[in-house]
Amino acid sequence: MTKILIIGGVAGGASAAARARRLSEDAEIIMFERGHFVSFANCGLPYHISGDIKDRSKLLLQTPESFLARFNVDVRVMNEVIAIDRQNKTVTVKNLVDGSEYSETYDFLLLSPGAGPVIPPIPGIYNPLTHSLRNIPDMDRIIQTLQSNKPKHATVVGGGFIGLEMMEAFHQLGINTTLIEMADQVMTPVDREMAGFAHAEIRDKGVDLKLGTALTAVEYQISDQDSQPDNTGHLSLTLSNGETLITDILIMAVGVRPETKLAQDAGLQIGELGGIYTNDMMQTSDPAIYAVGDAVEEKDFVTGAQTLVPLAGPANRQGRMAADNMLGRSETYQGTQGTAICKIFDLAVASTGKNEKQLKRDGIAYEKVYVHTASHASYYPGAETVSFKMLFDPQSGKIFGAQAVGKDGVDKRIDVMAVAQRAGMTVEQLQHLELTYAPPYGSAKDVINQAAFVATNIIKGDSTPIHFDEIDKLNDNQLLLDVRNPGELKNMGFIDGAINIPVDQLRQCMDELPKDKEIIIYCAVGLRGNVAYRQLVNNGYKARNLIGGYRTYTYAQ
């Protein structure tokens, strides 16, 4: 009989336990969780704080009792594995309720300890009004502070998923909110110009967004009333820009770090990025010990390099595969794309694969396109603009990544791109995707088709692109041509130095343009610019079209 011990009862650990039981009725499976809860929906925690998820029990997907009843898994909460003896294949377990210790033997051991919040060494950061959010007790403490301190102002440090979700939760509760982010953008999986749409939405909702700003010190000022509980009062925050901010609750959401202490103490290999090393079968450097989830380094799907991607989807798939392999199968993990989406008020921001920052860092040659088009047929009520960016190899057309922002239809476009990338499709093949179309749901030429048309034009030489970050560096041998209608310039603004000839008048006015200069064309989103570009190059002009048009240029500022 195979004996499997699982350390960590959320996501990867719980998936492995359930899968192992489905494969073997005879295996002895014990799952240890140092917290009170197993298999809880940690991605749902901010939505209970906001009130979107009313019932706290909805976050508890399984309990020790339900796991035992359905899967015959011995789940031991408040039991922490404190040491691994690899030579004798035993673990030492501490019962956190009574402090006693005991040992268990194993045939296979699975590590799924997750990741812990990064708390920077900021003076005064440890106080009753400062919280992080990784589990249900964290959530309960935040709710308790909200109830006892009744904050009028909240501050969130960190513009990642948890930070953005907590920002929205506080706003929904009617609390004035400041979001502080040390980088020049929120949500780093997307590039700066795509994050610009999120910045506009955040500020439009009245949130005080401070980019390029760090928290440098915290001072806890307790309530004057002796009868008040410990988590009352307010905080004085010192910021790197010289400002001082008074706030009533502080959420630290600057990132997470893999929990590797147990693995390190056991002498298991730790990767260069700080996560537990695993091979494609999710084995650690000890073949009897597997590891999954936020604690491990995994293979990047695009580059094949090691990466850290703390997402629930990969963790669950890895847990399932580890269970397969512990019970005699031979499954390999196929790499992580990092497909992710975040709700930011009325916007959805999503991405898959590599972003431009990563491609630049890794020295990978790439090209990019932007399209801004309707989520469904523009003449049908309710159409919203989807802003879409695609990164690809300019020679082979291999898909490197995609990003999308909008109020509707963002998830399905990025999901399609994630599947296309996983299937090894090229941008040329994306042209031929046959996606659902009816006016309430899509367009005859979908967002993805249109991006593929633009990309294929570039690869074939039918279009010569210029990008938003080159526009402010034009020289005397280039002429900026705005082909929008005059009313658009008046209502939406324009780029300084441009001359305006509407695209429908270009043929009649073309002689006014110099042939000894390169004509840099732009319109609202790039579509009319391409029409103008083809007219000009077909008449012997040298030209380039601003991909994504004035919309991309504006939100990139």
Side-chain angles (χ1 to χ4, degrees):
M1 183 174 68
T2 303
K3 184 175 181 180
I4 298 171
L5 303 185
I6 297 172
I7 301 174
V10 187
S15 293
R19 176 65 171 173
R21 176 57 71 222
R22 290 196 298 271
L23 293 179
S24 170
E25 195 60 31
D26 298 327
E28 182 181 0
I29 307 168
I30 305 174
M31 186 162 68
F32 302 98
E33 171 55 52
R34 66 187 175 195
H36 289 86
F37 306 97
V38 294
S39 193
F40 63 87
N42 50 6
C43 295
L45 302 179
Y47 299 105
H48 179 58
I49 294 171
S50 70
D52 287 330
I53 299 173
K54 306 283 185 201
D55 188 349
R56 179 177 177 276
S57 66
K58 298 284 189 187
L59 300 171
L60 304 175
L61 308 178
Q62 293 280 356
T63 65
E65 295 76 20
S66 67
F67 237 108
L68 179 63
R70 179 166 296 181
F71 298 111
N72 192 25
V73 171
D74 180 0
V75 179
R76 302 179 187 176
V77 295
M78 300 301 289
N79 277 249
E80 181 176 12
V81 176
I82 57 175
I84 301 169
D85 181 344
R86 291 165 51 196
Q87 188 170 356
N88 295 307
K89 286 193 169 184
T90 63
V91 299
T92 302
V93 187
K94 183 174 184 178
N95 184 320
L96 299 180
V97 176
D98 61 18
S100 62
E101 294 184 8
Y102 62 96
S103 65
E104 286 282 357
T105 61
Y106 65 85
D107 295 307
F108 292 105
L109 178 64
L110 177 71
L111 304 179
S112 183
V118 174
I119 305 297
I122 297 170
I125 197 69
Y126 294 101
N127 63 73
L129 299 181
T130 298
H131 302 274
S132 57
L133 181 61
R134 287 293 289 170
N135 53 41
I136 285 181
D138 289 342
M139 178 190 74
D140 291 341
R141 283 189 287 270
I142 291 170
I143 292 173
Q144 188 178 31
T145 296
L146 292 174
Q147 290 171 345
S148 59
N149 205 34
K150 296 181 172 53
K152 293 182 173 60
H153 186 276
T155 301
V156 178
V157 178
F161 294 103
I162 294 173
L164 290 166
E165 288 160 1
M166 284 306 302
M167 168 201 72
E168 184 169 352
F170 288 140
H171 181 273
Q172 193 161 318
L173 292 170
I175 302 169
N176 290 328
T177 304
T178 296
L179 177 64
I180 298 170
E181 170 55 57
M182 193 161 62
D184 65 351
Q185 66 166 94
V186 302
M187 202 174 171
T188 53
V190 303
D191 290 310
R192 172 69 176 75
E193 70 278 14
M194 299 299 284
F197 296 98
H199 299 160
E201 177 76 2
I202 291 167
R203 288 177 170 133
D204 186 57
K205 290 294 190 289
V207 172
D208 177 22
L209 175 61
K210 297 182 185 297
L211 298 172
T213 305
L215 176 64
T216 58
V218 180
E219 183 182 349
Y220 174 43
Q221 297 171 342
I222 197 164
S223 173
D224 293 334
Q225 298 175 354
D226 294 336
S227 60
Q228 292 292 326
D230 289 340
N231 54 350
T232 58
H234 61 266
L235 302 173
S236 177
L237 310 181
T238 303
L239 309 183
S240 60
N241 61 6
E243 289 183 54
T244 299
L245 187 64
I246 304 300
T247 197
D248 304 310
I249 185 171
L250 173 63
I251 304 294
M252 295 300 296
V254 299
V256 295
R257 182 180 293 123
E259 293 271 10
T260 59
K261 185 178 186 305
L262 192 61
Q264 282 183 294
D265 291 347
L268 297 175
Q269 182 180 341
I270 303 299
E272 291 183 6
L273 301 178
I276 301 170
Y277 163 82
T278 58
N279 63 17
D280 288 347
M281 296 181 73
M282 306 313 300
Q283 285 173 305
T284 68
S285 52
D286 183 328
I289 303 178
Y290 291 73
V292 300
D294 294 359
V296 308
E297 290 186 10
E298 53 218 303
K299 187 166 69 176
D300 183 280
F301 179 79
V302 178
T303 66
Q306 293 298 101
T307 186
L308 289 169
V309 183
L311 292 172
N316 279 281
R317 296 197 306 277
Q318 291 163 5
R320 175 187 173 91
M321 290 174 185
D324 281 352
N325 294 334
M326 286 187 284
L327 290 167
R329 299 194 177 188
S330 183
E331 298 289 336
T332 57
Y333 186 66
Q334 304 293 317
T336 297
Q337 294 163 275
T339 308
I341 190 167
C342 186
K343 177 182 180 295
I344 304 176
F345 297 113
D346 296 331
L347 281 186
V349 183
S351 63
T352 192
K354 308 302 284 182
N355 60 40
E356 190 171 352
K357 299 185 292 284
Q358 293 166 330
L359 294 173
K360 282 181 177 176
R361 179 198 65 201
D362 295 341
I364 298 172
Y366 67 92
E367 184 54 271
K368 59 185 176 181
V369 296
Y370 303 88
V371 294
H372 307 278
T373 190
S375 56
H376 59 247
S378 56
Y379 55 80
Y380 186 89
E384 299 285 355
T385 300
V386 175
S387 294
F388 184 86
K389 176 179 183 177
M390 183 169 65
L391 297 146
F392 58 96
D393 186 311
Q395 302 300 319
S396 68
K398 176 184 177 180
I399 300 164
F400 288 144
Q403 302 163 30
V405 183
K407 295 182 179 181
D408 182 50
V410 164
D411 51 347
K412 75 174 182 178
R413 269 68 188 214
I414 292 301
D415 284 343
V416 168
M417 290 301 299
V419 173
Q421 184 181 57
R422 177 101 21 197
M425 295 180 69
T426 64
V427 294
E428 193 277 334
Q429 291 170 321
L430 287 182
Q431 297 179 105
H432 306 291
L433 285 185
E434 192 170 326
L435 304 172
T436 55
Y437 165 57
Y441 301 109
S443 299
K445 290 187 292 187
D446 188 77
V447 176
I448 291 172
N449 297 127
Q450 293 196 38
F453 296 152
V454 178
T456 305
N457 280 343
I458 293 172
I459 290 174
K460 290 183 175 180
D462 292 336
S463 177
T464 306
I466 190 168
H467 293 295
F468 70 89
D469 49 358
E470 301 172 80
I471 292 298
D472 294 335
K473 304 170 188 172
L474 300 183
N475 58 47
D476 293 340
N477 294 317
Q478 295 170 305
L479 177 70
L480 191 57
L481 174 64
D482 187 330
V483 296
R484 297 175 298 161
N485 295 320
E488 293 176 79
L489 278 67
K490 183 178 179 181
N491 294 329
M492 300 176 189
F494 53 88
I495 302 174
D496 287 341
I499 66 168
N500 176 224
I501 303 176
V503 64
D504 293 339
Q505 299 171 25
L506 184 58
R507 283 190 179 86
Q508 292 73 41
C509 303
M510 197 175 293
D511 291 344
E512 300 173 15
L513 297 173
K515 281 203 169 180
D516 60 345
K517 291 190 176 186
E518 183 180 52
I519 312 300
I520 306 299
I521 308 159
Y522 78 92
C523 66
V525 297
L527 186 61
R528 285 172 292 175
N530 184 59
V531 173
Y533 168 86
R534 293 307 311 170
Q535 288 183 30
L536 288 170
V537 297
N538 286 341
N539 281 281
Y541 287 84
K542 184 180 179 184
R544 284 199 279 168
N545 182 32
L546 176 60
I547 303 297
Y550 186 68
R551 182 175 174 85
T552 298
Y553 176 84
T554 302
Y555 280 95
Q557 303 307 306

